[in-house]
Amino acid sequence: MNGIRLVVGLGNPGPEHQLDRHNAGFWFVEALAHQRGATLAREGRFHGDVGRARIGGAQVFLLEPATWMNRSGQAVVALAHFYRIMPDEILVVHDELDLPPGQAKLKKGGGHAGHNGLRDIQARLGSADFWRLRIGIGHPRDLQPAQQVADFVLNRPSREQQRAIDEAIDRALDCLPELVAGNAAAATMRLHTRN
């Protein structure tokens, strides 16, 4: 496989959304930038905050779209086309309702499962052939049965849930060098056996 050249974290911009479960992708990219001493800065032509990090021997672009979740593809396509990054060289990090807090899973391709950010990226890229890192946030049917999904993802997790999500992000960060190097099987096995 090709190595990863672009890591995209999905979320909604603005301080009012910073702690929302839906911003788990932003949390991952910010943790990665911090770990690698990278800075994220607004780049208008790419419709988001962009940084560059060295992972292993490779330079990797970091992107947080500033377009709102349901138009994330606008930012992804702008940067990917400019730097000639292929879909299978892109890792999209997003919140996942179908995994409990504390779990993270890697997969390549597949559907969008109703996730508006993924739906827009697929539509604008014209391909579903990108990698996804799914950060578990749990589902309201299991955690807060009275809450609608839309309200659930736009609210902050409990302290215990946040701790579990942060631990999953740390484990996923540990596997990223292998994915960047093109060793997806090792990265996937390492992450999934540590969940």
Side-chain angles (χ1 to χ4, degrees):
M1 78 162 254
N2 291 330
I4 296 299
R5 295 176 57 206
L6 169 60
V7 178
V8 182
L10 298 188
N12 285 311
E16 69 275 23
H17 294 293
Q18 201 171 352
L19 302 175
D20 294 354
R21 292 179 177 93
H22 220 18
N23 276 36
F26 278 12
W27 301 342
F28 180 87
V29 166
E30 285 157 14
L32 174 59
H34 179 74
Q35 180 193 66
R36 300 285 166 172
T39 304
L40 296 167
R42 181 62 47 90
E43 291 200 31
R45 66 183 166 167
F46 300 136
H47 314 286
D49 294 339
V50 178
R52 291 168 181 79
R54 287 210 77 75
I55 301 175
Q59 178 181 260
V60 177
F61 290 96
L62 313 181
L63 173 64
E64 289 184 350
T67 53
W68 300 97
M69 182 66 81
N70 60 2
R71 290 176 50 219
S72 299
Q74 183 181 3
V76 175
V77 166
L79 194 147
H81 283 184
F82 187 84
Y83 289 108
R84 297 184 174 155
I85 297 171
M86 300 303 294
D88 67 345
E89 297 173 321
I90 300 172
L91 173 66
V92 176
V93 187
H94 64 91
D95 57 305
E96 176 59 68
L97 287 160
D98 292 330
L99 293 175
Q103 283 203 11
K105 294 207 171 185
L106 268 169
K107 76 177 213 175
K108 184 181 179 191
H112 53 69
H115 193 291
N116 289 331
L118 293 177
R119 178 188 281 123
D120 193 59
I121 292 168
Q122 282 184 15
R124 291 181 192 246
L125 267 183
S127 173
D129 200 30
F130 52 89
W131 285 88
R132 301 103 190 278
L133 173 60
R134 302 154 60 213
I135 305 287
I137 60 166
H139 198 285
R141 71 173 169 250
D142 304 318
L143 300 174
Q144 287 160 296
Q147 203 168 24
Q148 296 295 312
V149 166
D151 292 333
F152 179 77
V153 299
L154 294 175
N155 275 284
R156 64 191 298 177
S158 69
R159 186 173 295 142
E160 184 182 329
Q161 292 162 10
Q162 185 70 61
R163 192 176 310 118
I165 293 166
D166 290 343
E167 286 169 2
I169 286 171
D170 287 344
R171 289 196 306 277
L173 285 171
D174 288 345
C175 303
L176 194 58
E178 286 164 333
L179 197 60
V180 168
N183 196 347
T188 303
M189 180 175 286
R190 185 171 172 192
L191 179 62
H192 294 184
T193 54
R194 291 179 65 194
N195 272 331

